[in-house]
Amino acid sequence: MDFVKSLIENKLLLVGNFVLTSGKMSPYYLDLRRLSNYYDIFSEVVNKAIDKIKGLEFDMVIGIATGGVPFASFIACRMGKPLGYIRMEKKSYGTGKALEADVEGKKILLVDDVATTGGSLQKAIEAIESEGGKVVASLVIVDRLEGAEKRLAEKGVKLYSVYKITEILEYLLNSNLISEADKNNIREYLVKNIE
């Protein structure tokens, strides 16, 4: 899969020991913040994402800073929709806003790069709702399949993903791109953590 090769070659998929935003330890890390540096592969991801959400009705795209903002920007631009973004923490200066968009009365597509447990997405949904917006769906590049889909479903929000982590790791585990020890660590992690 060209996407996985590109992730490895450009050090966007790292193997080792990493602490995730959720606080969990993981034997791999997806660092997709720089994916937009590689136009060909990023453009392909955006095209696949747009195919996934065809027919979805929404008024505005909101990206979660920082990883979701480039992805949200491309989606909004290609689909001719307004764009905003949300920080996970409010600024301590200026207006002190976390949400940089007028969402009142609007249907929102919430966009991020990676979903793990869904905590960041849930916080963003709650912030958007508190400003009068309605998140109709969420879109990520990769769903790590560790609870985000279920968590968002409980809020009435469907999670779309361009890739499931199992597709990416299956390719990696059947390649010679990583060591046997790393493959075993990843297999063990998947058994314990994938829903």
Side-chain angles (χ1 to χ4, degrees), residues 5-135:
K5 284 182 192 169
S6 181
L7 292 180
I8 295 288
E9 287 168 5
N10 296 303
K11 295 181 175 53
L12 304 176
L13 173 57
L14 305 170
V15 177
N17 289 306
F18 304 93
V19 179
L20 306 176
T21 305
S22 63
K24 292 172 85 170
M25 291 296 295
S26 174
Y28 67 92
Y29 182 70
L30 285 159
D31 185 7
L32 300 184
R33 289 179 298 257
R34 292 183 299 110
L35 183 60
S36 57
N37 292 187
Y38 308 98
Y39 180 77
D40 290 345
I41 197 77
F42 190 62
S43 184
E44 184 181 321
V45 167
V46 170
N47 290 340
K48 286 182 177 187
I50 290 170
D51 283 345
K52 294 264 182 182
I53 59 169
K54 268 199 175 127
L56 185 67
E57 289 187 32
F58 59 95
D59 304 311
M60 176 180 259
V61 180
I62 299 288
I64 297 178
T66 56
V69 174
F71 189 41
S73 299
F74 271 69
I75 299 283
C77 186
R78 296 235 182 121
M79 296 189 80
K81 300 286 186 178
L83 171 73
Y85 67 93
I86 187 166
R87 298 177 191 83
M88 285 294 92
E89 297 190 20
K90 288 183 179 182
K91 295 189 307 182
S92 60
Y93 55 90
T95 61
K97 287 179 156 186
L99 180 59
E100 297 293 349
D102 176 13
V103 297
E104 189 172 351
K106 294 180 181 150
K107 294 178 188 169
I108 305 298
L109 173 65
L110 182 62
V111 175
D112 205 358
D113 55 351
V114 179
T116 303
T117 63
S120 297
L121 292 164
Q122 182 179 339
K123 284 181 193 168
I125 290 166
E126 290 165 358
I128 290 165
E129 288 174 348
S130 75
E131 297 283 328
K134 170 72 176 140
V135 177

